[in-house]
Amino acid sequence: MNAPLDPGRLEDRGVLRFITAGSVDDGKSTLIGRLLVEAKGVLADQLAAVRRASERRGSGELDLSLLTDGLEAEREQGITIDVAYRYFSSPVRKFIVADAPGHEQYTRNMVTGASTADAAVVLVDATRVGVDGLLPQTRRHSAIAALLGIRHVVVAVNKMDLVGWERAVFERIAGLYDDLAHAVGLKDVRCVPVSALQGDNVTRLGSSSPWYAGPTLLALLEALPADRADAARPLRFPVQLVIRANGAAAEDYRGYAGQLWSGVLRAGQEVRILPSGERARVASIDTLDGALAQAVAGQSVTVRLDRDVDLSRGDWIVDDADEAKLGTALTAELCWLDRSPLDPRRKYLLRQGTRTSLASVLAVEDRLDVSTLSERREAAALNLNDIGRVRIAVQQPVLLDAYARNPATGAFILVDAATNQTAAAGMMRAT
Amino acid sequence: MSIEVAAPRLDHLDWLESESIAILREVAAECASAALLFSGGKDSVVLLRLAQKAFRPARFPFPLLHIDTGHNFPEVIAFRDARAAELGERLLVRSVEDSIARGSVVLPSPEASRNAAQSVTLLEAIEELGLDACIGGARRDEEKARAKERIFSFRDAFGQWDPKAQRPELWNLYNARVHKGEHVRVFPISNWTELDVWQYIAREGLALPSLYYAHRREVVRRRGLLVPVTPLTPPGAGETAEIRSVRFRTVGDISCTCPVESEAADAEAVIAETLVTDITERGATRMDDQTSEASMERRKREGYF
Ligand SMILES: Nc1nc2c(ncn2[C@@H]2O[C@H](COP(=O)(O)OP(=O)(O)O)[C@@H](O)[C@H]2O)c(=O)[nH]1
C-alpha cells in the first residue's frame, strides 16, 4: 500500500497529468480502477456503491469499471460519453487522469483529454493482437497523442494472464508498437506487461512475470517529467489582468498578473512587450507571500516593471532577446469539435494566450483520413471529429509559436461567435 | 554547453494553487459580473485565500455571496461574517427563508432539508444581481457527476446544466462567453482532492469554524451515520442520544450534515485521519446524496452548486 503524498517533502514531484487510451474492452476502466483502489483514490463507500450497482446489473464480480461511469445517461446506455477526471496520489506525486472514452466521439474526447496531458497510457489487449498487428484504434489513439504533442507514452500490454505471461507475446507487441510510434512520431515510449484484473505490475511487481524486472506502471508514471509547462522553453507570460491599487501617490501599485506558460522569469530581467515591442526591466515578481527572485513555468505571479509601458490583457511578456514573431495569418492543424461544421462564411473568435481576436478560416487544405489518421485527403470542409489543416486570418496579431515547439503557446481554440460554442482546437504550424 | 537552470520545482500544492489563481483571474477578466460563493465552509475558505493570492493588493473584483438556508450552524454564520469583515470584502446574503416567503420555494414539510431549495434561491440571486459568473468551491473528487464537469461550466437561461452538451475544455483556454441571461459556474479547485484541501489549510494556516475539529457533541446513530441532535434534528422515536467526540467534514444545512467520530484537534491531525479514512466526504456526511446513484447529477442539472 502506498502512503499518500506529504507536501513539502523533498521528493514531492508535483502533478503529472495523463490520459488513458484504449479500444473498448482492452481493460482501460479496470486498469484505472486498479490504480485508484491501490493508491487509495477510491474509498469504501464508493466501492460499496459500485458493488450495489454491479449486483443490480447482475454481474457477480465487483466491476471496477463502474467507478468511472459518471452520468445517468451513460449508466442507462452502458457507455461513457464524456471525459472524466480521476485523482490519486503516490508517495511522490499527485496524478490527474483524464479518462477519455474510446468509442463514441473519441476524437473530440481524446483531443480534450490529451490537451492537458503530460503523458499517455495506451492500453493494448495482448489477446487481440493478430497477425495483422495492432488494432486500428491503437493507431488512431497514438496518432492523436502525437498530434497533441504528448511527449511520453507508456504502453500497458494488458491481459497478460490470458496469454500465460508469455514473454514472446509481450516482446512482439512492444516491437509492433515501436514501429507504430516511429510512424506517428512518438519518441519516448516504454512498455510494461500487466494484468489490470489481477494487478500484476500495476503498482507492484507480480510473480507471474519473472522475466520482467520492472519498473511497474506506477513507477514509470512517477518518474516521467511533467513538461507541458516547460521551464526549458522560451519565456512566455501572457498578461491576464492589470492589478492596480491606489494608496499615497508613491505607493500606487500597478502589476501585471498572469501565469508563466513556459520558461523562467527573473527579477531584473530585460523583457520585451508584445505586440507593442517596448522594452522594460522586471522590477519585481510579486506574490501574496512576498517577492520572488524568479518564477518558473506553471507559476501564477504578478509582475511589476521599471517603467510605464503599453501593456494590458492579451499582451505577452517575452525575453528581450527573444525573436518571437507576431502575425495575422497562420496555418494550423484543426480538430473540429462542434456539431455544426466549419463554415468559412461564419465568424469565429480565436483565443490564444489571453487574447481573443476575430478570425475567419480562409481555406481548408486537407483532412486526415478518420480511419487511419495518417493519410491526408483533399477536403473543403471539416465536420465534427474531423482533423485537418487550415489557413486562418485574424484581426489582431497572434504570437506565431509552432505547437510542435511550444504547445503552451502554439495552441488556440475557436469559439463560434454566434452560439458561443467551443468549435475547434487548433495547433499552429511553423510558418 | 547550455547552463542548467536549477529552477525551483512546484510541489503539488504550488501547482494546484497556481492553476486556481489563474482561473480566478480569468473570471475577473472575462466576466462582467461575478460573485464568489462563500459559506464559511472549508472549500470556500480555501477559495478566499486563493482570491487574496490572485488579486491583492487590490480588492476582489467581485462580491462574496452566501445562500443562507436559515438552517446553518450559528458559529459558521459568525465565522462567515467575521472573515468577510476581516478581508474588507463585500458579503451579500440571500436566504431560502425569503424564497419561501415569496412562494418560489415550497417545502414538503417545515422541517424538510433546505439543501435542494438553495438552488432556487441561488438562481433568484443570479437573476436579481445580473450575474454572468458564479464561483464555487466544488471539486471533481467529490462525486461522479462532478468528475465530468468543466471548470467553466455553462448554464442556460433557466440556470440548467446539460451534462450531455458541455463545451469541450481544452488546454487552459477557458470559454466564459455567455449570452444575456445565461451564466457560467466556475470551479477553481476542481482538481483538488479533500486531502489537498486539508494540506493547503495546514500549509497556509487558514482559520476554520471550530466544528471542523474534534468537539464533544450530542448525536444519535441513524443508518450508519452520526446525526447531530439539534432543535431541527431531535432524536427519533426509539433513538438514544449519546455524547461523542466528533468533527464535521462539511458544514452544510444542519438538517442533512453529519459529523464523523474524531479526535483531530487541528489540521495536521485531520490530515492524518484523512489518510486512513475509508469513506468519502459526502458518503459519511450527507444524508441527501445517498438517496439515489444520480441524485447529485439531478440536483446539479436543476441549478445546484
Ligand atoms: N483476464 C483478464 N481480463 C481483463 C483484464 N483487464 C480487463 N479484463 C476484462 O476485460 C473486460 C473489459 O474490461 P474493461 O475495463 O471494461 O474495458 P474498457 O472497455 O477498456 O474499459 C472486462 O470483462 C474485464 O474484467 C486482465 O488483465 N485480464
Side-chain angles (χ1 to χ4, degrees), chain A residues 109-338:
Chain A
N109 286 320
M110 194 172 158
V111 166
T112 302
S115 70
T116 51
D118 302 295
V121 172
V122 175
L123 264 96
V124 175
D125 181 341
T127 66
R128 282 202 288 169
V129 177
V131 278
D132 41 349
L134 301 167
L135 294 176
Q137 285 96 319
T138 307
R139 168 174 283 279
R140 284 207 288 258
H141 293 147
S142 304
I144 293 177
L147 189 73
L148 270 287
I150 292 181
R151 290 203 271 185
H152 314 284
V153 172
V154 179
V155 182
V157 179
N158 191 31
K159 306 197 188 180
M160 283 300 295
D161 53 306
L162 294 182
V163 296
W165 286 98
E166 232 182 279
R167 181 176 193 164
V169 174
F170 173 71
E171 279 173 356
R172 172 157 178 271
I173 293 171
L176 287 169
Y177 198 88
D178 268 346
D179 296 343
L180 171 59
H182 189 73
V184 299
L186 289 169
K187 291 193 183 71
D188 179 28
V189 174
R190 297 135 212 252
C191 297
V192 49
V194 300
S195 169
L197 193 67
Q198 294 167 358
D200 307 68
N201 303 340
V202 179
T203 67
R204 53 185 166 77
L205 282 178
S207 53
S208 347
S209 51
W211 46 268
Y212 182 76
T216 62
L217 176 65
L218 183 64
L220 278 172
L221 294 172
E222 285 178 337
L224 288 179
D227 49 12
R228 192 158 272 283
D230 193 344
R233 290 188 172 116
L235 165 66
R236 294 288 182 265
F237 184 84
V239 173
Q240 281 187 286
L241 196 69
V242 181
I243 292 188
R244 285 191 204 87
N246 301 321
E251 296 162 30
D252 276 2
Y253 186 94
R254 186 182 177 83
Y256 303 96
Q259 187 176 21
L260 257 84
W261 282 13
S262 60
V264 178
L265 182 70
R266 291 185 188 80
Q269 187 172 351
E270 297 286 345
V271 294
R272 203 151 58 91
I273 310 306
L274 297 174
S276 80
E278 288 178 79
R279 297 187 143 80
R281 187 191 293 269
V282 175
S284 74
I285 303 172
D286 296 342
T287 71
L288 189 70
D289 306 300
L292 306 175
Q294 63 169 10
V296 295
Q299 251 175 316
S300 283
V301 293
T302 304
V303 177
R304 281 190 295 148
L305 300 176
D306 69 337
R307 70 202 76 168
D308 286 337
V309 289
D310 175 13
L311 179 54
S312 56
R313 176 170 173 85
D315 298 344
W316 299 87
I317 295 177
V318 302
D319 185 72
D320 182 50
D322 197 294
E323 305 202 326
K325 275 189 304 186
L326 295 167
T328 53
L330 57 106
T331 63
E333 201 82 65
L334 211 59
C335 306
W336 200 256
L337 308 169
D338 198 8

Side-chain angles (χ1 to χ4, degrees), chain A residues 333-414:
Chain A
E333 201 82 65
L334 211 59
C335 306
W336 200 256
L337 308 169
D338 198 8
R339 279 198 190 85
S340 47
L342 189 166
D343 185 342
R345 294 163 306 181
R346 295 282 291 276
K347 283 212 176 61
Y348 297 99
L349 297 166
L350 185 147
R351 169 77 190 267
Q352 180 212 28
T354 52
R355 185 185 300 283
T356 303
S357 177
L358 272 176
S360 49
V361 179
L362 301 176
V364 177
E365 294 182 338
D366 61 28
R367 187 177 59 200
L368 280 176
D369 180 273
V370 274
S371 59
T372 60
L373 284 183
S374 58
E375 283 141 72
R376 294 192 169 268
R377 303 264 154 85
E378 228 175 279
L382 293 178
N383 291 301
L384 179 61
N385 290 318
D386 279 346
I387 298 173
R389 277 185 198 158
V390 297
R391 282 190 291 124
I392 293 178
V394 277
Q395 190 208 5
Q396 296 173 43
V398 297
L399 190 62
L400 297 176
D401 268 353
Y403 187 83
R405 297 197 42 203
N406 196 341
T409 51
F412 64 87
I413 57 169
L414 291 184

Side-chain angles (χ1 to χ4, degrees), chain B residues 194 198 208-219 221 225-226 242-250 258-277 284-285:
Chain B
E194 185 187 14
W198 277 111
L208 291 182
S210 58
L211 293 178
Y212 277 110
Y213 299 114
H215 57 285
R216 299 183 61 76
R217 177 177 289 273
E218 198 176 12
V219 294
R221 290 177 190 278
L225 297 172
L226 293 180
E242 51 186 313
I243 307 270
R244 313 291 311 177
S245 176
V246 298
R247 67 177 164 88
F248 286 86
R249 286 169 76 184
T250 69
C258 303
V260 293
E261 298 220 62
S262 170
E263 299 292 340
D266 58 22
E268 299 290 349
V270 172
I271 291 168
E273 285 188 0
T274 304
L275 289 181
V276 298
T277 190
T285 59

Side-chain angles (χ1 to χ4, degrees), chain A residues 20-60:
Chain A
T20 52
S23 311
V24 184
D25 285 341
D26 282 354
K28 184 161 63 73
S29 312
T30 309
L31 183 70
I32 295 173
R34 165 87 36 210
L35 281 168
L36 295 186
V37 168
E38 296 196 358
K40 273 219 160 183
V42 176
L43 300 171
D45 56 333
Q46 283 172 310
L47 271 183
V50 165
R51 192 164 288 124
R52 282 199 300 275
S54 307
E55 281 161 10
R56 258 203 309 282
R57 215 156 302 183
S59 55

